[in-house]
Amino acid sequence: MFRNFTNKLSGWLKTAASPRNLALLAPMALALLLSACGGDGHPRDTLNPAGDGAEVSAWFYWLYLILDSVIFAIVVSALVVAIVKFSKKDGDDTLPPQSHGNMKLEVIWTVIPTIIVVILGVITIGGVFKLSEKPAEEQKVIEIDVTGKQWWWEFDYRNEKISTANEMHVEEGTQVALHLTSADVIHAFWVPRISGKRDATPGRSYPLYFKATQAGEFIGQCAELCGASHARMGIKMMVHPVKGPDSYDNWVKSQKTVAAAPQTALQKAGKKVFETKGCASCHTIRGVKELTQRSRTTGPDLTHVGSRTTIAALALTNNVENLAKWVKNPQAVKEAALMTNLNLSDADSKAVAEYLFSLK
Amino acid sequence: MSAKLHDIEVLQAPEPHMHFERPGKTGLVDWLTTVDHKKIGVLYWLAGTFFLLCGGLEALLFRIQLAVPDNDFMGGETFNGMVTMHATTMVFLAIMPMTAGFANFLVPLVIGARDVAFPRLNAWSYWTFLAGALVINASFVFGGAPAAGWTGYAPLTGAQYGGSGIDFWWAGLALLSASSMAASVNFIVTILNMRAPGMTLLRVPVIGWMMLVIQFLLALSFPPVTVGLILLGFDRMFGSNFYNVSMGGDPHLWQHLFWLFGHPEVYVLILPAMGIVSEILPVFSRRPLFGQTAVIFSGIFIGFVGFGVWAHHMFTTGMGPVADAAFAATTAIIAIPTGVKIFNWLGTLWGGKLTFPTPMLFAVAFIPIFTMGGLSGLMHAAAPLDLQQHDSYFVVAHFHYVLVGGALMGLFAGSYFYFPKVTGRMMNDTLGKLHFWLFVAGMNITFFPQHILGNQGMPRRIYTYPADAQWDFYNMLGTVGVVVMTIATLIYVYNVIVSYKKGEIAGRDPWDAATLEWLTDSPPKMQNFDFTPIVLSERPVWDHKYTEGMEIIAPEKAEAFHMPSYSWKPMISSCFVTLLVVGLLLNTFNPGNWLWAISAVAAVGVVGSVYAWVSEPV
Ligand SMILES: [Cu+2]
Ligand SMILES: [Cu+2]
């Protein structure tokens, strides 16, 4: 049985699947492959830029893709022709010419790539310096201190004196300067449609400059392995228009206020839970309790937590049920999360969730 | 000029006189005490193949996790451990040892020597490698796998963040690095000093050259990472602060030390495969390698420049535009010698008489697949573009094209090609072709879509992803591809086993090849050659067969030679070295229990065994 199978197989491999026959399919496969490499309007498509940094990267991508495709096509066609043309014919036992090489060819295929590499090098170096340009002094700059923490992002607005988590708000067309650092291990800040990534390194502060060119919401996440929940360290970038009710200025105004006072009985009970059950040792709510010192395990500023669309670095959508679920058992939502499980009762978690969600 | 003038099979040697046979042992003891480069080569190759299966299993497990969005087959920490062990295993315990297997078996044969320069040191390298491999994998049993990625970026590896797996990881890697450094010195001396008469450096076959280049890379690149590992060990064991930021340490120090090793390491993995391909293409084209000197020099050039590009792994750290520009430029330069190699391989095929047994299939497929990996690498050299691709699936695609499509397929090619020399039997060609087509299909199904995933913003090393990220289709494909590759690899292993038992008898020169290893018996006798051949060209065996006046002539009088005898000392010495490391590990886990005394005793043992080794008559 097996012998039969292998005989059949070897016959098939010799004819249908011979390199000679398959080589003829290569050009088709090539065209297919290259078309698959293009942009496709995906939510985090690096080739559909919405920021100036991503634009530069995408420009380089297309440049290199075209160049690479040409080179690849040359190599594959040469290979295909060689296989088709120079496969040994049955019964032909003569030896091919025993030439050892060709100096002229060696020079050609060293010099031409060298020229290409030099040109590419000049263009690349231009791009490197363009991306690292500091924003001009006089223009409006949104300056944000970004701290990567296991496993969420803290955003402190330098001039506005507001602090948010995981959801970064910026203005369309306005220069943004991030100053990245970390409270523990190395993380990397990456919102693919806005800009390339930059590491957040403990003990250091490195800048990342960009301008968002398009209003909307853009998703990203930590790109440097940072421990168990590295996969759950999302970023949402909200790019506000300059004018209108949804403007960046309005957002800043609303965030600058202290926390709203609780209205309903349940919310009041929730505030109590926050104040008495130890939440306040890790979380600031301006107007209720402010932390003076931050540590590795300090949690996000919750003054306006109700205004966020997601919680726990995009792990959950923000609503009362999810808030309750989170505070009841953070580790069940996010492996190894650094927020202590305070063993709240169902009622307490419900109440505190109700309160937190009211903090718009 | 088609007819063979002479047949290798009938090259008669005079009965050797005055030779001292290596008094061998038999059975298991033989394998434990052998200093024969061929047996050590086989041991390396077997261990490498075993760990290839382990690394593949790890990949299969985490690919199951990634097959669908929001999967809970395994958690983040387990996943990170799987990814870390997969890469560590594939790089250090699969590809490098398989390469070392080829280096051991082939280098003395292709240069016409009887063994390596330091046969006992060679055995020591093997046992120390094996010990390192076992220490790293022991982490699975004692407290969990290392989970900081194979790049082990500080401070994630620090005592505060990384579990006990990291201790096994750094200690095991330190052993591997000692093994590699010892081996590199051994092979440099062998290749430079022990070539047969007439074998000038430029007559050394490309495989010999590539092995020489990588030994220099190993000798020069392992020291920095070893320093890095020892600093890490100090931080973890004794609370020093080399990488501890809050005490003024510097996490970037690790990255520089690691990549100063890590980039040359890439060439350690790929150059031997290029050497193998450069041996196979001419044989099945029935003509010399096109531009052999250019191929050799481009390999040397790659080795040199490979030391000046390491920070291209660090464009996102914020080194500043000057460093970014410099490393982008040096990296792009590597494209030139790489291109030279590719064009010379094409030149070899062009005008040949090509046949396609399995080794040739792998060697030919190596060309476009490796080219693909090289071209995506060129993209990473463009720093502004790398800011997007770094740590994304695009990079994952890139290095798998280079290391799976390149290095591993090169080693597969070499396995089929040299199997008859090693065992005396041919591998089954039908199974080989089945392996080939399945493997090539599987590898492209898995890794090609990962370019697209990277463009779509998927970061590497994430254990799960939400459905609305829309990465599910290509991830599912990736998992399917891994299943296909697994089946292919199992067919290969089956093929090795049945061919070893029942394969067709090969004879000395089954492929009608050109270099010295095909001159001798398959498998070669203990002393490799009956007489030391005098080499007149870079294709001594081919010219013996096909060129009038270039025959290899057996001397009338046999020569005297001396083969070193078996020895327990290398293995005993590396056991003590391992014990030294194990003592440190035990002490880390149970501080204050005098467990470091084990290390102290082991240190004495190391000195003692080396003394015994040195004074042993050979
Ligand atoms: Cu991360
Ligand atoms: Cu590199």
Side-chain angles (χ1 to χ4, degrees):
Chain A
M1 224 285 282
F2 182 71
R3 175 81 12 120
N4 219 342
F5 171 74
T6 47
N7 283 345
K8 267 214 187 101
L9 186 73
S10 84
W12 184 79
L13 287 168
K14 274 214 188 77
T15 51
S18 76
R20 201 163 176 278
N21 285 346
L22 283 159
L24 294 169
L25 286 176
M28 249 164 69
L30 191 67
L32 209 76
L33 293 189
L34 292 176
S35 63
C37 273
D40 56 357
H42 186 276
R44 305 194 200 176
D45 192 354
T46 54
L47 304 175
N48 181 13
D52 56 354
E55 260 164 32
V56 174
S57 302
W59 185 86
F60 272 94
Y61 180 80
W62 295 118
L63 173 72
Y64 274 81
L65 186 69
I66 293 168
L67 180 85
D68 280 2
S69 309
V70 172
I71 299 173
F72 194 62
I74 293 173
V75 170
V76 171
S77 354
L79 191 64
V80 169
V81 175
I83 292 173
V84 173
K85 215 170 140 191
F86 298 109
S87 285
K88 181 172 158 306
K89 316 269 173 316
D90 277 341
D92 171 10
D93 282 332
T94 56
L95 286 181
Q98 301 291 305
S99 65
H100 285 260
N102 180 326
M103 198 56 197
K104 220 197 227 152
L105 280 175
E106 299 291 346
V107 172
I108 291 176
W109 61 49
T110 312
V111 170
I112 294 181
T114 308
I115 295 171
I116 297 177
V117 163
V118 169
I119 297 173
L120 285 179
V122 172
I123 300 175
T124 304
I125 291 172
V128 168
F129 280 92
K130 186 178 153 81
L131 278 181
S132 66
E133 263 167 32
K134 256 204 164 116
E137 292 285 329
E138 63 277 10
Q139 85 187 37
K140 173 178 170 192
V141 181
I142 302 174
E143 301 222 43
I144 308 174
D145 285 305
V146 175
T147 311
K149 290 182 143 188
Q150 282 181 325
W151 290 277
W152 62 285
W153 296 93
E154 185 156 67
F155 303 134
D156 294 307
Y157 288 67
R158 268 196 191 172
N159 304 320
E160 296 79 0
K161 299 274 176 295
I162 50 186
S163 176
T164 106
N166 307 315
E167 296 185 358
M168 176 180 280
H169 294 254
V170 298
E171 189 175 49
E172 183 185 351
T174 301
Q175 182 71 47
V176 181
L178 305 185
H179 306 275
L180 294 133
T181 189
S182 161
D184 36 52
V185 300
I186 300 176
H187 306 272
F189 183 91
W190 189 28
V191 183
R193 288 192 60 195
I194 299 292
S195 138
K197 55 191 80 63
R198 165 97 340 141
D199 288 2
T201 311
R204 309 253 180 137
S205 168
Y206 289 110
L208 174 65
Y209 306 116
F210 65 84
K211 261 185 213 160
T213 51
Q214 194 178 315
E217 285 183 12
F218 304 96
I219 306 290
Q221 72 187 91
C222 174
E224 180 66 59
L225 179 63
C226 55
S229 279
H230 162 57
R232 315 294 296 281
M233 196 170 157
I235 304 165
K236 198 178 218 180
M237 176 126 20
M238 324 277 234
V239 181
H240 292 265
V242 183
K243 294 215 165 62
D246 191 30
S247 73
Y248 174 72
D249 287 338
N250 280 349
W251 177 79
V252 171
K253 222 176 275 159
S254 73
Q255 295 286 311
K256 275 185 165 169
T257 58
V258 295
Q263 304 297 321
T264 65
L266 196 54
Q267 288 170 5
K268 284 184 184 140
K271 182 166 181 242
K272 190 104 199 199
V273 172
F274 180 84
E275 286 169 321
T276 56
K277 297 282 177 176
C279 315
S281 65
C282 291
H283 291 285
T284 285
I285 296 184
R286 273 182 292 121
V288 177
K289 171 95 204 301
E290 282 186 48
L291 291 176
T292 47
Q293 274 193 328
R294 285 177 179 173
S295 75
R296 183 164 96 79
T297 51
T298 307
D301 186 321
L302 299 179
T303 312
H304 294 283
V305 63
S307 71
R308 294 184 197 141
T309 59
T310 60
I311 53 165
L314 276 59
L316 295 171
T317 343
N318 193 6
N319 55 41
V320 175
E321 293 83 72
N322 280 341
L323 277 167
K325 185 170 156 195
W326 168 258
V327 297
K328 182 132 181 56
N329 189 351
Q331 287 72 27
V333 174
K334 192 193 264 191
E335 183 175 334
L338 290 184
M339 168 161 152
T340 330
N341 180 348
L342 293 166
N343 295 315
L344 296 189
S345 66
D346 282 344
D348 280 355
S349 2
K350 179 90 197 2
V352 79
E354 195 74 41
Y355 169 60
L356 292 175
F357 196 65
S358 75
L359 301 177
K360 296 287 180 188
Chain B
M1 53 176 296
S2 69
K4 258 194 212 172
L5 301 169
H6 304 279
D7 195 355
I8 282 299
E9 303 291 341
V10 297
L11 191 69
Q12 279 304 327
E15 209 32 55
H17 69 121
M18 271 180 68
H19 84 260
F20 303 97
E21 285 245 350
R22 181 181 269 163
K25 295 270 169 181
T26 51
L28 182 65
V29 177
D30 178 33
W31 290 101
L32 294 177
T33 60
T34 185
V35 293
D36 181 338
H37 72 96
K38 299 181 288 297
K39 288 192 176 138
I40 294 173
V42 169
L43 286 173
Y44 264 118
W45 188 89
L46 287 174
T49 307
F50 170 75
F51 284 114
L52 179 72
L53 298 178
C54 296
L57 179 67
E58 281 146 12
L60 191 61
L61 290 175
F62 69 67
R63 278 314 317 179
I64 294 176
Q65 163 66 18
L66 287 174
V68 290
D70 298 310
N71 200 1
D72 56 4
F73 177 70
M74 58 172 75
E77 193 64 15
T78 318
F79 178 91
N80 293 346
M82 281 297 152
V83 175
T84 305
M85 283 305 289
H86 164 71
T88 306
T89 302
M90 287 307 198
V91 168
F92 295 101
L93 311 183
I95 299 204
M96 281 179 77
M98 283 169 86
T99 303
F102 284 108
N104 266 280
F105 196 94
L106 292 173
V107 163
L109 286 170
V110 300
I111 64 172
R114 301 206 185 275
D115 206 322
V116 295
F118 309 115
R120 289 178 298 170
L121 185 63
N122 201 20
W124 186 88
S125 292
Y126 175 74
W127 295 113
T128 308
F129 145 74
L130 195 66
L134 295 178
V135 167
I136 294 176
N137 279 284
S139 64
F140 278 116
V141 189
F142 302 102
W150 85 281
T151 49
Y153 272 20
L156 190 56
T157 47
Q160 197 182 356
Y161 305 104
S164 64
I166 303 290
D167 292 306
F168 288 92
W169 182 79
W170 81 257
L173 284 184
L175 286 173
L176 295 183
S177 116
S179 151
S180 285
M181 282 190 269
S184 65
V185 174
N186 204 345
F187 279 89
I188 291 171
V189 176
T190 305
I191 299 173
L192 292 183
N193 287 327
M194 297 177 63
R195 280 164 287 131
M199 178 166 283
T200 57
L201 274 176
L202 282 179
R203 286 182 186 163
V204 172
V206 179
I207 177 117
W209 260 106
M210 293 307 112
M211 292 300 182
L212 180 61
V213 172
I214 71 160
Q215 304 310 326
F216 277 103
L217 294 179
L218 289 171
L220 297 172
S221 73
F222 259 108
V225 79
T226 311
V227 169
L229 289 166
I230 290 174
L231 299 185
L232 174 63
F234 279 7
D235 272 11
R236 291 184 62 90
M237 287 188 297
F238 310 126
S240 61
N241 294 305
F242 292 104
Y243 306 122
N244 184 348
V245 182
S246 59
M247 302 301 287
D250 182 359
H252 285 166
L253 173 63
W254 167 266
Q255 293 190 24
H256 285 291
L257 291 173
F258 181 82
W259 288 116
L260 196 45
F261 149 80
H263 194 86
E265 171 70 10
V266 174
Y267 300 124
V268 169
L269 301 173
I270 191 68
L271 288 178
M274 291 179 161
I276 289 171
V277 167
S278 305
E279 294 300 318
I280 293 175
L281 293 177
V283 168
F284 299 107
S285 307
R286 303 190 57 70
R287 59 198 296 255
L289 182 65
F290 199 85
Q292 171 150 342
T293 318
V295 173
I296 290 171
F297 273 96
S298 54
I300 300 173
F301 186 76
I302 290 176
F304 267 106
V305 184
F307 277 102
V309 302
W310 77 91
H312 63 204
H313 298 271
M314 298 170 61
F315 286 142
T316 65
T317 57
M319 293 183 295
V322 177
D324 284 359
F327 282 98
T330 51
T331 305
I333 289 174
I334 296 212
I336 303 167
T338 312
V340 168
K341 288 198 170 216
I342 292 169
F343 290 123
N344 277 301
W345 290 328
L346 292 171
T348 307
L349 298 176
W350 200 269
K353 292 258 160 72
L354 315 183
T355 49
F356 293 94
T358 312
M360 181 65 161
L361 283 179
F362 274 105
V364 167
F366 174 97
I367 300 175
I369 296 180
F370 173 77
T371 303
M372 183 97 164
L375 290 171
S376 54
L378 188 61
M379 287 187 166
H380 304 317
L385 175 49
D386 184 63
L387 296 182
Q388 289 284 22
Q389 297 177 337
H390 176 81
D391 269 344
S392 79
Y393 260 85
F394 200 95
V395 171
V396 178
H398 157 70
F399 61 69
H400 282 96
Y401 266 85
V402 175
L403 295 181
V404 178
L408 185 58
M409 279 183 43
L411 293 174
F412 280 147
S415 298
Y416 285 95
F417 188 60
Y418 292 110
F419 191 85
K421 184 48 64 183
V422 178
T423 64
R425 291 175 185 274
M426 307 297 287
M427 279 182 81
N428 181 312
D429 200 51
T430 306
L431 287 177
K433 285 181 170 150
L434 191 61
H435 167 212
F436 169 79
W437 289 113
L438 283 177
F439 195 85
V440 168
M443 99 125 250
N444 284 292
I445 293 173
T446 296
F447 300 118
F448 188 80
Q450 295 186 345
H451 293 106
I452 305 169
L453 283 175
N455 283 343
Q456 292 174 345
M458 180 166 172
R460 71 194 278 202
R461 293 168 172 161
I462 54 172
Y463 80 96
T464 188
Y465 53 92
D468 60 19
Q470 296 176 29
W471 296 323
D472 31 335
F473 176 66
Y474 292 126
N475 272 297
M476 179 51 100
L477 265 190
T479 306
V480 171
V482 168
V483 172
V484 176
M485 271 189 277
T486 309
I487 295 170
T489 310
L490 291 177
I491 292 174
Y492 164 70
V493 171
Y494 172 76
N495 193 355
V496 167
I497 296 169
V498 288
S499 303
Y500 176 70
K501 290 200 183 126
K502 299 201 200 125
E504 210 181 302
I505 301 292
R508 285 187 175 186
D509 181 23
W511 309 116
D512 200 5
T515 40
L516 279 182
E517 69 272 32
W518 306 103
L519 178 67
T520 185
D521 300 342
S522 309
K525 48 185 72 104
M526 183 254 307
Q527 69 271 32
N528 288 356
F529 301 97
D530 288 330
F531 59 93
T532 303
I534 295 174
V535 178
L536 300 174
S537 72
E538 70 279 355
R539 296 198 297 162
V541 167
W542 179 274
D543 286 334
H544 172 80
K545 292 180 287 191
Y546 290 102
T547 314
E548 197 101 44
M550 299 276 276
E551 294 87 352
I552 294 171
I553 300 165
E556 308 217 321
K557 236 177 80 187
E559 60 196 276
F561 56 86
H562 165 83
M563 305 301 293
S565 48
Y566 76 96
S567 171
W568 284 99
K569 308 296 181 303
M571 203 208 35
I572 292 174
S573 160
S574 63
C575 283
F576 277 121
V577 173
T578 312
L579 197 62
L580 200 153
V581 168
V582 170
L584 288 176
L585 288 179
L586 290 173
N587 192 55
T588 316
F589 300 142
N590 300 290
N593 281 335
W594 289 84
L595 285 166
W596 54 266
I598 297 177
S599 296
V601 174
V604 176
V606 173
V607 176
S609 59
V610 171
Y611 183 77
W613 171 341
V614 175
S615 47
E616 178 184 50
V618 277

